[in-house]
Amino acid sequence: MQTVIDAHNVSKVYNADTIPVYAVNNVHLHLQKGEFTALVGPSGSGKTTLLNLIGGLDKPDSGNIIINGVDITTLSANELINFRLKNIGFVFQSFNLIPVLTAKENAEFILQLQKVHRKERIKRIEALFKQIGLSDKLNERPAKLSGGQQQRVAVARALASRPQFVLADEPTANLDSRSASNLLDIMARLNKEEGITFLFSTHDQRVIDRARRVITLVDGQISNDTAAVPVTHEAPVSTEKS
Amino acid sequence: MIIQMAWRNIWRNKMRSIAIALSVAIGLFAGLSVLALYKGMMKSRIRTVIDSETGHLQIHHPEFKKDYDPQYLLSDPQKWLSDILFFNTIKAVAVRTVTQAMLATPTGSAGVQVNGVDPETENKVSLLKDKIHWGNGFTGKKKNEALIGKKLADKMKLKPGSKLVLTFTDTASDLVSAAFRVAGIYQTENVPLDERNVYVNRNDLNELLNINGSFHEIAILLNRGEDLALAKRQLQERFPSFLVESWKEISPETELMVSTMDYYMYIIIGIIMLALAFGIINTMLMAILERTREIGMMVALGMNKLRLFLMVLLETVLLTITGTPPGLLAAWLATDYYNKKGIDISSFAGDTMSSFGFSSMIYPEFPRPELFTVMMIVVMTALLSCIFPAAKAGRLQPVEALRK
Ligand SMILES: Nc1ncnc2c1ncn2[C@@H]1O[C@H](COP(=O)(O)OP(=O)(O)O)[C@@H](O)[C@H]1O
Ligand SMILES: [Mg+2]
């Protein structure tokens, strides 16, 4: 299997001069193509920080992060922007969509930045919106969509650019349970049918149950990792949960 | 799509967008109005210079200007008049005998310039007759009639009918004195000029100076002000041994005034543009602050600084484009209205204006030739002002922006 994320000894310290907070502390992480992995842990355990580091939004204080063979800790700010655009799909907890653009334009926007041809853009977006079940909402502005619909559009947008993997920081945190399970259904199906690699953080047990691999963070350190398991329809057994 | 985003962003906060478009409109309006006022003032000042002071062109003996000595004479006025009127650029010609004199009354005395004129031709060139506000002017029936300016009349307590004595040197350097009677009091827009110039009949003056039939000065009015250079060249070629000068050379202080006013005008326009710049910087900064998370998200997704900068720039450009037509229209309507009606600034400028030779009635004139420049200045100001907010947007760190 192909390794897409390879992080070594990654640390991020906040307030280094006063009271240091080891938001991420000496983390090793390897992710294979096609994984469907949940990053779990209590609030403040460093999930967001770790995802930001892997996504090239933030720089670690030490360690290396190799994405698809490129050590992103060596890239300049501008190179990073370009790298993110081409390689990583993002779904944030909230505030995912540009309010002045329609659902379709939000997805198209990234493709335009990537200079994808118009015909190809439309083709990809229409296919994706079919998959997320929002073909009838293509021309709606985000304000007209429910929270769950917005997150689905965000997933479609993340996938439109055909990234190496999708990072999702608590994508269901602001959703009711039905919308949350609907979003997870879509993500799981895309993972299974299209082989899309997902790494998402959550502290929702129902979401954790859907993951095929669960990495648990405590105080910035990996306390448990169920490791990659082959594709099954059952949730993996976890020893950590209570 | 960036254009689309910029355009829709404008409509997100209508009040704010209207504020920016309005500042652009007001900036444009103010800039153009200042220019219009200035142009109107200059034009009327130049008209005053030409109509009541110099005419468009003057011809003198080459030495005359040096000391205004009455010996540098020209003669045969009829031949001069017909020779000059031969050119079709010329509207009217008048000849004058000019000398410096001491004016004395029982109240006091003052140095003046005495202009001996032929009333009929003079009225065509300097419109002297129209400026007489008290008394009848030259009747032609009596000898030694004089026209004096309002300012001098006030100072010397002279009224129509009052007597005054003029003393000057004749061509033989002998002192000559003669009594004149005030036939009229004139008033132009140029107070210093009114104070210095006394008009008498050329025949009377010539008799006293003992230079019958001669004169010193030819004042020429053109059909069109634009022909100034052409007419000057024509006359200089026709009369190579005489000095032909345009009003610009005769009245260099007017040129100086124009350039001084230029300077003030640029300062005023500069202040207006500064206000506009601050308005735009402030408003665009607020717009960006409000969208911190959104911008952070766009940067996270892979929108680079250049594109972000472009988006903010485009928003400002679109607002500037929106604000331009109303500003132009307002300036045009206002200048058009006041161009016909005139603005009387005597109530707050008092006599200051006329002591510099300016009319207190201003007829603003739409600055058509400068329109493009003014528009460019406004647009450049708007664009420069958004550089700072745009740079601020470009510096946003996505991680921090998203955590907010
Ligand atoms: N910008 C920051 N400055 C200082 N401390 C921070 C900052 N961001 C996060 N932290 C700290 O780092 C730790 C990990 O935070 P975070 O990654 O947000 O955790 P999680 O996403 O699991 O809730 C927390 O203790 C948080 O207070
Ligand atoms: Mg978090």
Side-chain angles (χ1 to χ4, degrees), chain A residues 57 84 95-96 100 105 112, chain B residues 1 8 293 297 299-300 399:
Chain A
L57 295 172
R84 291 200 298 264
F95 225 85
N96 259 300
V100 293
E105 288 166 343
Q112 227 176 23
Chain B
M1 190 164 295
R8 291 181 197 167
R293 297 219 303 177
M297 184 260 294
V299 175
V399 178

Side-chain angles (χ1 to χ4, degrees), chain A residues 49 52 57-58 81 84-85 90 92 95-101 105 108-110 112-113 115 141 157, chain B residues 1-2 4-5 8-9 12 293-294 296-305 307 397-399 402-403:
Chain A
T49 307
N52 284 346
L57 295 172
D58 211 351
I81 290 181
R84 291 200 298 264
L85 178 64
F90 288 94
F92 302 105
F95 225 85
N96 259 300
L97 304 179
I98 299 164
V100 293
L101 297 183
E105 288 166 343
E108 203 181 350
F109 171 63
I110 295 292
Q112 227 176 23
L113 292 184
K115 302 194 167 69
R141 295 267 184 109
R157 180 195 57 197
Chain B
M1 190 164 295
I2 288 182
Q4 249 169 34
M5 273 166 68
R8 291 181 197 167
N9 277 330
R12 282 168 86 169
R293 297 219 303 177
E294 184 182 328
M297 184 260 294
M298 291 195 285
V299 175
L301 295 183
M303 181 143 164
N304 62 25
K305 280 176 186 150
R307 290 203 172 90
Q397 290 300 318
V399 178
L402 281 165
R403 273 199 197 264

Side-chain angles (χ1 to χ4, degrees), chain A residues 5 29 31 37-39 51 54 166-168 197-201 215:
Chain A
I5 301 171
L29 185 67
L31 233 71
T37 305
L39 193 60
L51 286 178
I54 293 169
V166 176
L167 293 179
T197 314
F198 280 93
L199 174 59
F200 52 94
S201 73
I215 298 167

Side-chain angles (χ1 to χ4, degrees), chain A residues 14-15 21 23 41-50 169-170, chain B residues 400 403:
Chain A
Y14 288 112
N15 307 331
V21 177
S43 186
S45 56
K47 304 183 293 293
T48 298
T49 307
L50 183 57
D169 190 9
E170 309 211 24
Chain B
E400 280 148 40
R403 273 199 197 264

Side-chain angles (χ1 to χ4, degrees), chain A residues 206-236:
Chain A
R206 284 165 303 183
V207 175
I208 296 166
D209 291 343
R210 306 287 296 266
R212 297 213 312 268
R213 173 182 173 189
V214 178
I215 298 167
T216 310
L217 274 184
V218 174
D219 293 337
Q221 286 180 307
I222 294 180
S223 71
N224 190 46
D225 186 350
T226 63
V229 290
V231 178
T232 69
H233 289 282
E234 290 157 88

Side-chain angles (χ1 to χ4, degrees), chain A residues 1 30 36 40 70 74 102 110 120 129 149 172 174:
Chain A
M1 268 245 172
H30 303 275
F36 196 66
V40 307
V70 178
T74 63
T102 63
I110 295 292
E120 172 70 13
F129 272 65
Q149 288 171 334
T172 61
N174 292 339

